[in-house]
Amino acid sequence: MSRGTLSLERLNPLTSLTGAAAVAVITTAAGQWAFSLAVLGGLLALTLRQARAAAVLRAATAILLPFWAALLLVHGLFFPEGRTVLAELGPATVTREGLLFALDAGLRTGVFVVAFLLFSFTVRVPELLSVLSARGLPPRLGFVVVSALTLLPAAAQRIRRIRAAQEARGLVIGRSLASRLLAARLQAVPLVLSLVHESGERAQALDARGFSGRQPHTSLRTVPDSVPQWAARRVLLVLSLAAVAVRVALALFGGRA
Amino acid sequence: MASPSPQQPSLLLPEAPKRRRLLEILGAASIIVTYVVLVLTQPTDIAAGPGSLAALAALGGFLLGAVLLVVAVLPTLPTSTVVLIPIAMVLNIVLGQFVGSTLVPFYLDAIGTVLVAVLAGPAAGAATGALSSIVWSLFNPTVLPFAAGAALIGWLAGLAARAGVFRRFYLVPFAGFLSGVLGGVVSAPIAAFVFGGTSGLATGAIVSAFRAMGDSLLAAITKQALISDPADKAIVFTVAALLVYALPRRSSFQFPFVRRYRVLAGRAPQGRGTATQA
């Protein structure tokens, strides 16, 4: 199967959001490392079918590698509840239970991270916000989220311009802490000043266009949906609730939380 | 007694603010109840693996609380505050992403949130903290469950500003320290139950040290949070205060919250500030 044939970008944003949340909830409720591993494998296979597979995998690796290393450090070497000792390294004790705990928590977090990255890298944010606004979330939420996402690259570019301007005025970033702190101040203050100043102007412009109006807003964007997607969302919701219910029942009657 | 007709709005309290107040209370209650439930019902034996139920409760309860607070607060904020929130989020993400990738046991991911809280008050600070975590989670989903802790820091920073802490610079790090203690205590169960006890290599090393001394997972993470978070928030509050002090007075005094509660020392500039934003 070639890349793009199972593209999540074609889905209604609510369907992919429900899918990511359901995968995270069901995997957490199951609490089995083998199940988490199978789900993670499925998610990776799905990721490889996406046009933005490389970006998802890069982001997931950058998040998960340090996280897994920290889990190994915390539970692999120090796990006072462990009973089966595999090795003793000075004050550290490697136990089977500690390694299994790290494996369980690591795979569960892996599923959580890959599921939501797959959602966020394939969703069209304006469509998602339009759908959520239609379901009762404040329209201002849309402005805040889209504005932040637009500002992020603009702010990064502005930091580069400010640094270039300060370097042209003689700023040299040395290796000492004092030099770095001074350089940070010389870059942060102009950045914050310009952003806050612009926000004041933007507020006036938005108010002039009725941003603060309390009337219901009309959306010009129509997001395609379909009956199978509607049904899929319901099924995912029911499966998630069922998984949580089984876990609660097991905790109440089977003693396993 | 005849009931009022549906067309006749209440003269005592409009329907929308009443609904928003209810959402605010439900949001705060969801966060408090989740924390209490997690601490009271924490798994005593973790040798069988990380507890599923505690993770589900932490994920669901804290996230629901943060979303309810955002939905309740956002429509009530003036436009001058709403346009400031994305800027705060960008500052949080740019600075937090940088520090998160270094081997320093700090986060410095709330400078923008505290900046907004000082300029626009506790409600705006709480909304900024929660929204910042939600948007940041589009790039790094592991920050999503910490949205309630981030909202708490924004709210506490706003309360400190309202109390006049930012009029005296020497009080600012202490307010940050105290906020960090509370924020750390609230965030610890998320690190413990959702992520198996760690949120980074540097903080993981501190957790390992306490685990080596025989502490339970939640106790070790709470102690790690009590080491990292107060110092982190003391730095964050100080940096945010320095940035606010560096703003021209006509910019900082354009915010109604700053003028009403005399958040900053000195007089408001005459003329423009009071005219632009009501």
Side-chain angles (χ1 to χ4, degrees):
Chain A
M1 199 178 283
S2 67
R3 186 176 282 192
T5 47
L6 262 173
S7 175
L8 296 175
E9 288 178 36
R10 291 186 210 141
L11 292 179
N12 181 289
L14 268 190
T15 309
S16 44
L17 178 61
T18 313
V23 165
V25 167
I26 292 169
T27 313
T28 307
Q32 300 285 337
W33 68 263
F35 182 73
S36 301
L37 184 64
V39 174
L40 188 60
L43 284 172
L44 288 175
L46 186 60
T47 304
L48 291 174
R49 303 276 187 279
Q50 307 305 312
R52 299 196 66 195
V56 175
L57 292 176
R58 250 197 320 272
T61 310
I63 295 164
L64 287 173
L65 280 186
F67 182 81
W68 283 339
L71 270 181
L72 262 184
L73 173 77
V74 173
H75 302 298
L77 300 179
F78 306 98
F79 199 74
E81 295 84 358
R83 290 161 201 128
T84 321
V85 177
L86 300 176
E88 293 203 47
L89 312 160
T93 310
V94 181
T95 62
R96 186 175 175 274
E97 290 80 7
L99 290 177
L100 278 176
F101 188 98
L103 181 72
D104 205 338
L107 287 173
R108 195 169 77 184
T109 307
V111 168
F112 182 83
V113 167
V114 175
F116 277 97
L117 281 179
L118 202 49
F119 158 72
S120 63
F121 278 71
T122 54
V123 76
R124 292 187 179 98
V125 176
E127 284 190 359
L128 171 71
L129 294 167
S130 171
V131 168
L132 292 178
S133 290
R135 278 164 175 76
L137 279 183
R140 283 172 166 212
L141 186 72
F143 167 79
V144 169
V145 175
V146 171
S147 190
L149 292 176
T150 322
L151 266 175
L152 255 175
Q157 197 182 10
R158 191 170 297 182
I159 286 179
R160 280 196 294 275
R161 281 217 315 268
I162 291 172
R163 175 187 273 212
Q166 299 290 36
E167 283 174 344
R169 292 186 190 107
L171 170 73
V172 178
I173 306 173
R175 297 178 73 90
S176 70
L177 183 66
S179 166
R180 282 169 186 269
L181 283 176
L182 178 71
R185 184 189 164 278
L186 287 174
Q187 291 169 71
V189 171
L191 175 75
V192 175
L193 280 181
S194 65
L195 289 176
V196 171
H197 179 70
E198 275 177 20
S199 80
E201 288 177 357
R202 203 173 300 133
Q204 289 180 14
L206 285 167
D207 269 340
R209 287 160 177 78
F211 182 73
S212 301
R214 301 282 178 214
Q215 295 79 13
H217 293 211
T218 308
S219 176
L220 296 177
R221 188 185 295 274
T222 48
V223 182
D225 201 2
S226 62
V227 175
Q229 286 195 60
W230 179 87
R233 290 198 294 270
R234 294 292 176 282
V235 169
L236 287 168
L237 207 62
V238 169
L239 284 176
S240 305
L241 289 173
V244 174
V246 168
R247 173 54 60 191
V248 172
L250 277 175
L252 287 177
F253 307 111
R256 208 183 149 215
Chain B
M1 196 168 71
S3 61
S5 72
Q7 287 81 13
Q8 200 173 20
S10 162
L11 294 175
L12 296 174
L13 194 60
E15 204 54 42
K18 217 162 51 177
R19 190 174 147 254
R20 283 192 199 117
R21 190 85 196 134
L22 181 69
L23 287 177
E24 265 179 53
I25 293 168
L26 285 175
S30 172
I31 293 169
I32 294 167
V33 169
T34 306
Y35 180 75
V36 173
V37 166
L38 282 174
V39 172
L40 291 181
T41 64
Q42 59 172 303
T44 45
D45 180 20
I46 60 166
S52 290
L53 209 53
L56 288 170
L59 261 177
F62 284 139
L63 204 53
L64 177 72
V67 170
L68 286 176
L69 284 177
V70 168
V71 171
V73 167
L74 207 53
T76 65
L77 299 176
T79 312
S80 59
T81 305
V82 175
V83 293
L84 202 60
I85 292 177
I87 291 169
M89 289 153 74
V90 167
L91 289 175
N92 286 347
I93 294 170
V94 169
L95 291 168
Q97 197 74 51
F98 168 72
V99 176
S101 60
T102 61
L103 288 175
V104 180
F106 295 132
Y107 323 106
L108 303 191
D109 56 356
I111 292 172
T113 302
V114 176
L115 188 79
V116 168
V118 174
L119 293 175
T128 307
L131 274 170
S132 181
S133 299
I134 291 169
V135 170
W136 194 351
S137 73
L138 292 175
F139 310 101
N140 181 356
T142 58
V143 300
L144 185 62
F146 293 101
L152 178 67
I153 292 297
W155 186 66
L156 292 171
L159 287 187
R162 186 188 281 178
V165 167
F166 286 80
R167 282 202 295 270
R168 297 173 188 84
F169 181 60
Y170 59 88
L171 290 177
V172 170
F174 292 103
F177 189 90
L178 286 177
S179 305
V181 170
L182 289 171
V185 165
V186 166
S187 301
I190 298 167
F193 302 131
V194 179
F195 295 120
T198 179
S199 54
L201 271 173
T203 50
I206 301 175
V207 174
S208 296
F210 286 116
R211 292 284 281 157
M213 291 179 225
D215 277 339
S216 75
L217 190 57
L218 183 58
I221 291 162
T222 305
K223 286 177 184 172
Q224 173 269 314
L226 288 177
I227 288 176
S228 298
D229 285 43
D232 174 66
K233 295 302 174 291
I235 297 171
V236 164
F237 272 53
T238 307
V239 172
L242 290 174
L243 288 173
V244 172
Y245 297 157
L247 289 175
R249 300 188 77 71
R250 64 188 164 82
S251 293
S252 48
F253 277 81
Q254 74 175 309
F255 295 95
F257 177 75
V258 173
R259 294 197 304 272
R260 186 170 172 198
Y261 294 100
R262 266 199 346 108
V263 170
L264 301 171
R267 285 172 176 277
Q270 295 301 308
R272 188 173 177 253
T274 46
T276 49
Q277 306 293 329

